[in-house]
Amino acid sequence: MIRVIVIGPPGSGKSTQARHLAARKGATHLSVGALLRAEVEAGTDLGRRVQDTMSAGELASTDDVVEVLRQPLHDAEAAGGWVLDGVPRTTEQAARLDELLDRDDLSPAVVVALDLPEDEIRARLSRRAQTEDRADDTPEVVTHRLAVWAAEAPPLLEWYSTRGTLLTVPAIGDVDTVADRVAHAVEDAR
Ligand code: AP5
């Protein structure tokens, strides 16, 4: 049973690496960004609430994030473990996530923080913009998403660092190289 959280700047490979780690460990991959995009796609109330916020590269409200996450997290726990990416992004969300996990008496998750230079982030997201249609991958919105991360990251990283659960992993290199790095870091921490 693994419980891992993957955080990091936009475009650092959170979803890619969370998906790889979940596949290696037989766990469920949960991406909050993907869950929110599915709500937008389905035209639910929550999707309508977050649509413009996401297109602008702003953060959805913590209540909406908890709402979209609660049931999938519960299901993933029952299915034998999870790798969660994209949450928390703020210390407010970290506190709410701790509450959610504590309530179900789940042991604290290991937190993998991916670290990638901004020029490589921009290169990856501009490549993705040519193949996928994400409203938030324009250069202007990417700049804003990076600024949001830069503002929120220091207290968030501090939050997990003081709890001793933070593993910082360089995300430069090809997908398999980074996946090996992440898997070794998680193994060593267990
Ligand atoms: P989200 O979907 O989580 O977007 P993000 O954080 O901006 O991250 P990305 O999905 O762009 O990148 P990633 O780090 O997952 O990297 P990926 O693996 O895709 O969130 C979108 C929006 O939803 C937010 O802006 C916000 O509005 C809202 N939201 C989400 N969570 C929220 C929360 N907790 N609170 C409030 N609001 C929230 O890789 C990126 C690209 O690089 C891909 O094309 C990939 O193929 C490629 N790539 C990956 N690894 C490599 C590699 N090693 N080498 C080369 N290319 C690579």
Side-chain angles (χ1 to χ4, degrees):
M1 157 77 79
I2 64 163
R3 299 184 185 109
V4 176
I5 293 170
V6 182
I7 61 175
S12 57
K14 298 184 293 297
S15 286
T16 303
Q17 292 305 326
R19 189 167 54 247
H20 272 257
L21 184 64
R24 280 189 194 208
K25 300 289 182 186
T28 303
H29 168 216
L30 294 174
S31 157
V32 172
L35 290 169
L36 291 171
R37 279 188 288 279
E39 296 285 328
V40 172
E41 188 76 16
T44 63
D45 287 348
L46 193 152
R48 279 194 293 275
R49 280 203 299 279
V50 300
Q51 183 164 20
D52 291 345
T53 309
M54 291 179 72
S55 299
E58 298 286 352
L59 295 182
S61 77
T62 295
D63 284 344
D64 284 337
V65 168
V66 171
E67 183 180 330
V68 84
L69 187 61
R70 191 185 304 275
Q71 190 60 44
L73 191 58
H74 181 80
D75 295 345
E77 178 67 24
W82 39 266
V83 183
L84 179 57
D85 92 68
V87 69
R89 304 212 181 208
T90 62
T91 51
E92 182 196 8
Q93 290 186 10
R96 289 286 292 279
L97 186 60
D98 279 0
E99 266 173 43
L100 205 60
L101 298 177
D102 287 349
R103 194 172 313 144
D104 288 338
D105 205 18
L106 308 183
S107 64
V110 172
V111 179
V112 173
L114 296 179
D115 186 30
L116 192 66
E118 186 175 323
D119 56 349
E120 177 63 16
I121 288 175
R122 287 184 184 277
R124 289 184 187 180
L125 293 183
S126 85
R127 277 198 297 275
R128 182 169 70 188
Q130 283 154 45
T131 56
E132 285 179 37
D133 185 24
R134 264 182 64 164
D136 57 351
D137 273 347
T138 63
E140 298 74 24
V141 180
V142 167
T143 296
H144 187 65
R145 287 158 63 200
L146 286 166
V148 170
W149 169 254
E152 301 292 355
L156 181 63
L157 296 174
E158 176 72 14
W159 174 280
Y160 287 117
S161 175
T162 55
R163 283 161 177 75
T165 51
L166 185 68
L167 309 172
T168 301
V169 176
I172 196 79
D174 63 42
V175 170
D176 289 340
T177 302
V178 181
D180 285 344
R181 242 179 248 147
V182 169
H184 287 138
V186 169
E187 272 309 314
D188 289 349
R190 279 154 71 91

